[in-house]
Structure formats: structure tokens, C-alpha cells
Amino acid sequence: DDDNGGSGDGNEDEIVMENGTTLSGEIASGKTVILSSGYRFKLSGGYAVKNGAKLKIEKGVILTAVKDDIADYILVEQGGYIDAQGTADDPIIMTAEDQTPGGWGGIHICGYAHTNKGAGTKSEIGNAPYGGNKEDDNSGILRYIRLEYTGFSFDDEHESNGVSFYGVGNGTTVEYLQSYKGADDGFEFFGGSVNVKYLLATDNEDDSFDWTEGWSGTATNLVAYQTDASCDCLIEADNNGDNFDATPVAHPTLRNLYL
């Protein structure tokens, strides 16, 4: 659970994880889990940041998903917050013991911004609700993170991406991320209004960038790089695969694409 392996720092609401801790379970509302700079951690199963909880990942952290037959992933639920800030010289690295595409399930963020999928919509991974009408919703900060070997396959219809944005609002900061050798998409947007900058998708087996359900954010400086032609699309763009006329209609603004 959230305090497994933690050591208090004088604030009962903050849990500073010991170097080498295996993360699993959830972070409860009102709690903040801190992964300290330069430390190494493991991930086993789903790790959920609940409504009112916070996950802080400092620069230089290496998080490795264990090799097993269960889905290892990070899920930020509606009202949860992730503060994961690496630097250009000391990025956060999220990888897998099984260093092949599909080794783990990546990051999934659920916000309160719009989706055109309708009420009661839940994330493909983690079965968490998302969507609403709070376009400036803030799910946190993602900066200078390399996500390696994502794309764990739950079944034929549910595969995970490097980062999946579900109804994420434009109060969220997303910049300088790389998805490297994922078995599915590099980055996928399910509705929402989140803006992103400097995203690099390298050798992902499905799409580099994918959006659906009415995403309307701005994406600046996107790079898709493939060493061969085995991928599906560099960009897959649709409004809603079940209802082409669903509103609000997808209308992202794209600036500076290198494909």
C-alpha cells in the first residue's frame, strides 16, 4: 500500500519512500508519496493516486516495472495529482525489467475536462471515471520523463500507451516526454483540453500520437521517429469512432511537427 517501505519526515501526511521500495496499491486521499531524487524504485501491479492524493517524483528517479504476468501501471484518478519533474541533465526514467515492448502499462491520467464519449465513461486501464466540464482542471506536472517499453496488453481491445490522457484539463503541464519502444501508442488523448510541448515518440509499434473523443488542446514540437516501417500510423486522429458527429468535436492545434 501507500506507506509500504515509507519513512516519515515529521509530516504525517507525507510519506518519503525508502530507496528500493516496490510501489503497489494506492495513495490515499490526503497523503503525499515522495520518490526522492536519484533513488531507484520498483512497480508491481497498478499504483493509483486517489482523489486528494499526490505522487511526487523527483529528478533522476528510476522506476522499474517488475517482470510478471500482471499489469504494472500508474493511474492518476480524477482529483489526484502527479508532480514528476526531471531535468534535461537528470530525467526521470520509467522502464521495465523485461526490456521489450509491452513490458509495462505506462501512465494513465484521468481528469475533469470534456469527453464526447458520454456520461459514465471510464478509462481503458484501471476502470477509472473521467470527463466533465472543468477545462482548466490540473492533474499535475510531467516534465523530462522517458517512458520505455510500455504497451502491456490486457486483451485485444485494451493495450496501454506511454501516457494516456483521459479528459485531462489545460491546467496540467506536460512537456519534454519521450515514449521509447512501446508496443502500442506513444501518447494518446481521450478528449480533454490538455496542452503538450516537446513530445518525442521513438519506435512505438502502433501510433506515435493518437487522439479521439474530442481532444482540443495545443501540441507544440512533436517528434515521431521510426527506424523501420512496422508501426501503424505516426498520427491517428479521429473524433469518436462510434459517433463521427459527437460533440465537442476534436480540434487540436498542432505546431511544429517532425514526422
Side-chain angles (χ1 to χ4, degrees):
D1 57 22
D2 60 298
D3 59 0
N4 183 19
S7 59
D9 64 351
N11 185 341
E12 63 181 9
D13 294 328
E14 288 190 349
I15 302 159
V16 181
M17 290 295 192
E18 296 177 359
N19 194 15
T21 299
T22 298
L23 308 179
S24 64
E26 65 181 39
I27 306 174
S29 180
K31 301 291 185 181
T32 295
V33 164
I34 300 173
L35 308 185
S36 299
S37 178
Y39 283 7
R40 293 174 177 261
F41 302 91
K42 291 186 176 182
L43 176 66
S44 179
Y47 192 54
V49 184
K50 307 297 284 187
N51 185 3
K54 179 178 178 179
L55 174 61
K56 182 177 182 180
I57 307 175
E58 297 180 345
K59 66 180 183 179
V61 164
I62 298 176
L63 178 63
T64 303
V66 300
K67 185 177 181 178
D68 51 28
D69 294 326
I70 61 175
D72 308 316
Y73 60 91
I74 294 173
L75 171 66
V76 181
E77 298 187 8
Q78 286 183 318
Y81 192 91
I82 182 170
D83 179 4
Q85 298 191 61
T87 66
D89 295 329
D90 208 3
I92 295 165
I93 298 173
M94 299 183 177
T95 188
E97 286 181 348
D98 183 6
Q99 294 190 348
T100 58
W104 71 294
I107 299 176
H108 306 262
I109 304 177
C110 297
Y112 287 107
H114 73 271
T115 171
N116 63 27
K117 192 75 177 289
T121 306
K122 294 187 177 181
S123 60
E124 291 184 5
I125 311 304
N127 201 36
Y130 67 94
N133 57 14
K134 187 178 181 182
E135 298 306 323
D136 63 349
D137 189 33
N138 184 358
S139 296
I141 302 172
L142 301 176
R143 181 177 285 134
Y144 288 107
I145 304 170
R146 185 165 78 241
L147 301 112
E148 302 177 340
Y149 310 114
T150 60
F152 182 92
S153 179
F154 292 75
D155 54 47
D156 290 341
E157 297 297 324
H158 298 86
E159 293 179 323
S160 52
N161 310 296
V163 184
S164 302
F165 301 94
Y166 292 94
V168 176
N170 58 35
T172 307
T173 299
V174 180
E175 55 188 21
Y176 302 105
L177 306 186
Q178 180 184 17
S179 176
Y180 175 77
K181 289 192 175 182
D184 198 49
D185 301 335
F187 303 93
E188 185 164 6
F189 303 84
F190 299 84
S193 53
V194 63
N195 303 314
V196 299
K197 297 179 180 179
Y198 303 104
L199 301 189
L200 170 60
T202 308
D203 285 337
N204 293 280
E205 293 183 352
D206 193 11
D207 309 316
S208 295
F209 304 98
D210 189 347
W211 64 80
T212 185
E213 297 183 22
W215 176 49
S216 61
T218 296
T220 306
N221 295 321
L222 303 185
V223 178
Y225 180 81
Q226 294 290 136
T227 56
D228 59 44
S230 62
C231 67
D232 185 7
C233 300
L234 298 181
I235 291 179
E236 180 177 338
D238 67 65
N239 181 50
N240 183 312
D242 298 320
N243 177 6
F244 297 161
D245 297 323
T247 57
V249 174
H251 60 285
T253 300
L254 308 179
R255 297 172 176 158
N256 300 336
L257 309 184
Y258 306 89
L259 308 174

